[in-house]
Amino acid sequence: MNSETLLYIILAGIVALFVAIFQYIIKTKSMFKWSMLFAFLRFLTVFSVLLLLINPMFDKVSSFVEKPNLVVAIDNSKSIKHLKQNRQAEDFIAGLEQDKALNEKFNLELYTFGETLKKVDSVTFSESQTNINQVFTQLNQIYKQTNSPTVLVTDGNQTFGADYTFANRQYKQPIFPIILGDTVSYTDLKIQQLNVNKYAYHKNKFPVEAILVYNGNAPVKTNFVITRGNTTVYSEEIDFSKSKNSKVLNLTLPANITGTGSYRAVLRPLDEEKNKVNNTKNFIVEVINQKTKIAIVSDIWHPDLGALKKSVESNEQRSVIIVNSKNILSEIEDYELFILYQPNNKFNDLWKRLDVLKKNRFTIVAPKTDLDFLNRIQSNYTIEISNQPENYQAELNRNYTPFLVQDINFESFPPLLSNYGSTKFSVPIETILNKSLNGVSVQEPLLATFELNNTRHAVLFGEGIWQWRASSFLNSKSFAEFDTFLGKLIQYLASNKSKSRLNVDYESIYNGSNNVIVKAEFFDKNYVFDAREKLNITVTDKASDASKTYPMVLKNNNYQVDLSSLPASSYKFTVRATKENLAKSGSFQILEYNVEQQFLNANVNKLNQLAKNSSGRVYFIANTKNLVTDLINDNRFVPVQKSVKKSISLIDWKYLLAIITISLGLEWFLRKYNGLI
């Protein structure tokens, strides 16, 4: 409480005392025996009311004891059940929950993990992927400012993600791994890795790289075989020994038949092998007739050119060249799509030829574009010429209809450098991204598409798209999201199919360890996204001809269905709208592969290193009796007494209102009783 407030309180007391004395002592001619009591009650009332008006602040200090957290993260992947450790893990967790001494010292926090970390609901050991490093990344966000030793119940086998051995660099808590699984070394042959491109081209050969590993002491011989259906397309005899325990095979297979081909790679297992699942891997190659050829035409050098080429060519079905406006003239008919980067008057002949041949094009307009030329050479849109640049950020239009656009956090991307001024279109357009200036939409297209005379066009008003690709990588640790977005735009522009009210987005090949997600969009007759429609998908197994229908769930701006529960096989499907006679069909294949069944043992070395780096200790699941004792006796994990200082205003003190009410009521009652009212 400061001195100014204290002065106001003293003045309030003086005023309240003056009012009480004036009314009941000075104003009263004869000294009444109740006058002093009345004066006191009036003083109390007036002083309390004035205190409420001054509303002084008081500091309140409260103390409490904070127990440390004991974080228990349980591996919920299929490998635990495959190693037959699920029952021991469940019993261990139940023992921690029932231990009174442990729960008195710690706040027990239980989580499960597979692909991501989740609060415990149930432990099913059913997740098909494991990312242990991600566990510590997420826990660090929750327990960064607390004392939270962490018990990690796992076999230590990670199927994707960064190496978790040095997780202590970001997660500053002691980690106590509980090792699930056998540590005995068994004789084992396995296909460690199989690298194959998804696509090949007709009458070419496609490469296959196989990494084969042997774990054992005695020399052995086996065969590595690749089959397609009942036909053997490759076979080789392999020798292994204790010193020569791995082999890398690089081979090529013919792509003589167009379409999707299923292959099976087998490393013939030994009789004494315990795990024979990891001796087989399936893969699929889609053989296509030719690549989609795309030309990026530019008379200037800019980082956008390289970013566009890399992004478009991330899909192996496309090839891209970067060429100037003069050299492309003799090769125009060889390309399906032209990306015209900041055209100028040198593009005059090229533009006219593209119009004659009705070629699809993607035009990028920015400050280095010759706007006079662009306004003169075409009549689809007119750009106001101001010779002033401006930075515009992107804002996604969720009602874009030609194809499914996923929000990849466009609003977080750096602004593009564009021309200041409005653009007037003379043809109907579909806007993918709107311009945003300082967080305010300016209702101008940043990226738009339109269709004209059986051709498709896109216009991007800005340069610096290379920064978008880099920013997308920083956000998601991968270029895939941005490349997928640009790939869909390129796919739309490279095709002349008519616009559809029902669009379906799916992969032709799904790995058995990944989620099988099919997405769809439905639009009304005005091509506005319709969230009122109900979509169902009927999936038919091509082998057994068994069908099942699933409802598609509305999520954000699309409908989705998760078909991850389907077994490995080839499927055809039909997505159908229930209220209107609209349907879309397709097919996909799920590969038979379970990455969690590739392990024979727990990864003891990595878990030991993790415990050592984080100042923890490792325990085997069969010998965890000392864990609870060690945690309770560890002086690093003791309850901490903390105090919290809060500033409380007097107006929040409810007893003051009671004092005012009682003093006024008592004064009124006594005066009434003595006939003074």
Side-chain angles (χ1 to χ4, degrees):
M1 186 186 302
N2 56 39
S3 56
E4 184 179 356
T5 303
L6 186 60
L7 180 60
Y8 282 137
I9 293 174
I10 294 172
L11 289 175
I14 294 172
V15 171
L17 184 62
F18 174 77
V19 170
I21 292 173
F22 175 78
Q23 188 163 1
Y24 284 108
I25 297 178
I26 298 176
K27 195 175 179 182
T28 305
K29 294 181 180 180
S30 58
M31 190 69 175
F32 184 62
K33 64 179 182 179
W34 295 98
S35 295
M36 293 300 293
L37 179 58
F38 289 154
F40 172 73
L41 293 174
R42 181 55 56 91
F43 167 79
L44 197 59
T45 301
V46 174
F47 183 63
S48 298
V49 171
L50 291 174
L51 278 180
L52 284 177
L53 293 175
I54 297 170
N55 193 24
M57 304 291 289
F58 296 94
D59 291 333
K60 180 182 179 182
V61 178
S62 57
S63 299
F64 64 94
V65 175
E66 183 180 85
K67 296 193 294 184
N69 301 304
L70 180 61
V71 180
V72 182
I74 309 149
D75 192 337
N76 197 34
S77 64
K78 291 179 180 178
S79 64
I80 304 301
K81 189 175 286 187
H82 178 66
L83 296 175
K84 299 179 181 179
Q85 298 293 310
N86 49 310
R87 179 55 62 88
Q88 288 179 282
E90 290 170 350
D91 292 343
F92 171 72
I93 299 304
L96 293 183
E97 291 180 302
Q98 295 168 9
D99 193 288
K100 292 183 179 179
L102 189 70
N103 283 272
E104 285 179 3
K105 181 173 181 178
F106 295 98
N107 294 317
L108 201 60
E109 302 284 350
L110 300 179
Y111 296 88
T112 61
F113 65 88
E115 289 189 41
T116 59
L117 184 73
K118 300 174 184 176
K119 199 71 171 163
V120 161
D121 180 19
S122 60
V123 185
T124 58
F125 306 107
S126 60
E127 299 212 29
S128 56
Q129 294 272 27
T130 310
N131 187 349
I132 299 176
N133 186 71
Q134 182 66 18
V135 173
F136 299 113
T137 301
Q138 293 179 276
L139 287 176
N140 187 54
Q141 298 173 4
I142 304 171
Y143 299 103
K144 189 173 184 178
Q145 305 297 331
T146 62
N147 186 11
S148 305
T150 301
V151 176
L152 184 70
V153 186
T154 181
D155 57 10
N157 293 315
Q158 179 171 277
T159 58
F160 76 105
D163 190 351
Y164 64 85
T165 307
F166 301 98
N168 63 295
R169 293 176 181 175
Q170 59 175 331
Y171 188 60
K172 303 300 181 182
Q173 308 288 353
I175 301 170
F176 298 85
I178 306 298
I179 299 177
L180 301 172
D182 200 343
T183 60
V184 177
S185 180
Y186 295 96
T187 299
D188 184 52
L189 285 171
K190 69 176 178 178
I191 303 175
Q192 178 73 32
Q193 193 167 329
L194 200 62
N195 298 319
V196 187
N197 294 333
K198 284 186 177 181
Y199 306 100
Y201 300 97
H202 190 222
K203 296 183 179 179
N204 286 343
K205 290 187 176 183
F206 60 92
V208 177
E209 182 182 60
I211 303 175
L212 313 177
V213 176
Y214 168 64
N215 182 28
N217 296 320
V220 297
K221 285 188 176 183
T222 185
N223 287 321
F224 177 72
V225 179
I226 298 178
T227 59
R228 177 173 179 171
N230 296 322
T231 304
T232 299
V233 295
Y234 183 85
S235 179
E236 182 177 342
E237 188 176 82
I238 309 293
D239 294 324
F240 288 109
S241 64
K242 184 176 181 180
S243 58
K244 189 182 176 183
N245 58 4
S246 66
K247 188 172 182 65
V248 178
L249 295 181
N250 288 289
L251 55 112
T252 58
L253 299 178
N256 296 327
I257 303 173
T258 59
T260 302
S262 298
Y263 296 84
R264 186 179 183 88
V266 179
L267 185 61
R268 185 172 57 82
L270 305 173
D271 293 337
E272 63 270 25
E273 279 193 69
K274 182 179 180 181
N275 183 8
K276 298 181 181 181
V277 175
N278 58 13
N279 292 67
T280 303
K281 281 194 177 182
N282 298 309
F283 63 95
I284 291 177
V285 176
E286 186 175 350
V287 179
I288 55 182
N289 281 328
Q290 61 181 1
K291 290 187 176 184
T292 300
K293 299 179 72 176
I294 299 164
I296 300 176
V297 186
S298 176
D299 285 336
I300 63 173
W301 289 107
H302 195 280
D304 283 353
L305 303 178
L308 286 168
K309 179 176 171 64
K310 286 186 177 180
S311 184
V312 175
E313 287 189 335
S314 65
N315 186 324
E316 296 175 12
Q317 298 182 61
R318 305 186 182 112
S319 66
V320 178
I321 67 162
I322 300 175
V323 65
N324 62 40
S325 59
K326 181 180 179 181
N327 294 338
I328 191 63
L329 291 174
S330 61
E331 303 175 359
I332 289 180
E333 296 186 10
D334 295 338
Y335 297 91
E336 287 82 11
L337 174 64
F338 291 81
I339 301 176
L340 308 180
Y341 190 80
Q342 304 209 48
N344 52 39
N345 58 4
K346 295 180 182 179
F347 282 65
N348 186 70
D349 293 339
L350 171 63
W351 200 287
K352 290 178 180 179
R353 290 283 304 278
L354 293 178
D355 285 341
V356 171
L357 296 172
K358 292 187 176 181
K359 291 288 188 178
N360 297 345
R361 69 204 72 166
F362 177 16
T363 307
I364 298 177
V365 182
K368 297 182 182 65
T369 304
D370 187 339
L371 298 183
D372 284 325
F373 162 76
L374 196 59
N375 288 338
R376 185 179 68 254
I377 198 67
Q378 54 81 41
S379 59
N380 301 321
Y381 51 88
T382 303
I383 304 172
E384 180 183 352
I385 301 175
S386 66
N387 295 322
Q388 180 180 344
E390 183 60 83
N391 289 306
Y392 292 105
Q393 286 187 286
E395 180 183 66
L396 178 65
N397 173 26
R398 298 185 182 277
N399 292 320
Y400 181 76
T401 60
F403 57 88
L404 188 64
V405 178
Q406 184 175 353
D407 188 1
I408 57 175
N409 203 9
F410 290 102
E411 295 183 7
S412 71
F413 290 173
L416 298 184
L417 185 62
S418 182
N419 299 289
Y420 180 78
S422 61
T423 302
K424 294 182 179 179
F425 283 86
S426 58
V427 294
I429 66 168
E430 296 273 4
T431 302
I432 302 177
L433 301 172
N434 284 305
K435 290 180 180 179
S436 176
L437 187 60
N438 297 324
V440 179
S441 177
V442 295
Q443 300 303 314
E444 285 274 337
L446 182 65
L447 175 60
T449 61
F450 60 90
E451 300 181 17
L452 182 69
N453 298 328
N454 294 322
T455 60
R456 289 182 170 180
H457 301 258
V459 187
L460 174 66
F461 297 95
E463 67 178 27
I465 199 170
W466 68 271
Q467 297 181 75
W468 283 14
R469 192 168 188 259
S471 182
S472 177
F473 180 85
L474 292 175
N475 290 343
S476 61
K477 309 302 181 188
S478 171
F479 293 115
E481 285 189 350
F482 178 83
D483 292 347
T484 299
F485 160 71
L486 191 63
K488 288 182 179 180
L489 176 61
I490 296 300
Q491 182 180 357
Y492 164 77
L493 292 173
S495 170
N496 287 324
K497 294 180 181 178
S498 60
K499 184 162 50 176
S500 173
R501 290 175 55 198
L502 179 61
N503 298 319
V504 181
D505 185 22
Y506 65 99
E507 300 285 341
S508 59
I509 303 168
Y510 292 95
N511 193 305
S513 295
N514 297 332
N515 292 331
V516 181
I517 305 294
V518 177
K519 300 179 181 178
E521 275 188 328
F522 181 82
F523 302 96
D524 61 21
K525 293 180 180 180
N526 294 321
Y527 290 98
V528 176
F529 180 75
D530 190 351
R532 299 168 298 176
E533 183 59 85
K534 292 182 179 179
L535 300 183
N536 292 324
I537 181 171
T538 301
V539 183
T540 303
D541 190 329
K542 291 181 180 180
S544 64
D545 209 31
S547 297
K548 189 172 183 179
T549 300
Y550 303 85
M552 300 192 76
V553 179
L554 182 64
K555 186 176 181 181
N556 298 326
N557 61 332
N558 58 70
Y559 295 84
Q560 294 186 13
V561 63
D562 188 345
L563 303 175
S564 303
S565 60
L566 294 176
S569 185
S570 294
Y571 296 90
K572 59 183 179 180
F573 69 88
T574 300
V575 175
R576 193 177 304 277
T578 58
K579 297 179 182 178
E580 299 197 35
N581 188 25
L582 289 174
K584 212 62 165 300
S585 298
S587 63
F588 60 84
Q589 187 163 354
I590 302 176
L591 296 179
E592 185 178 358
Y593 178 67
N594 188 338
V595 68
E596 292 289 343
Q597 292 183 359
Q598 305 301 305
F599 305 108
L600 273 173
N601 310 97
N603 198 329
V604 178
N605 292 335
K606 277 196 173 184
L607 292 175
N608 266 318
Q609 188 64 45
L610 175 66
K612 181 180 178 181
N613 292 343
S614 64
S615 301
R617 184 178 174 184
V618 71
Y619 300 83
F620 288 93
I621 190 64
N623 187 24
T624 57
K625 295 179 181 179
N626 296 329
L627 172 66
V628 173
T629 304
D630 292 344
L631 288 172
I632 292 175
N633 295 332
D634 198 320
N635 294 327
R636 293 176 293 175
F637 318 131
V638 293
V640 178
Q641 183 171 340
K642 293 186 176 181
S643 60
V644 178
K645 183 178 179 181
K646 294 182 180 179
S647 293
I648 302 173
S649 60
L650 189 64
I651 200 170
D652 294 329
W653 193 48
K654 58 186 178 182
Y655 296 110
L656 188 60
L657 182 61
I659 291 172
I660 295 172
T661 304
I662 293 171
S663 61
L664 281 174
L666 186 59
E667 181 184 348
W668 178 86
F669 176 77
L670 292 176
R671 291 187 65 184
K672 184 73 174 177
Y673 179 78
N674 288 283
L676 299 177
I677 299 178

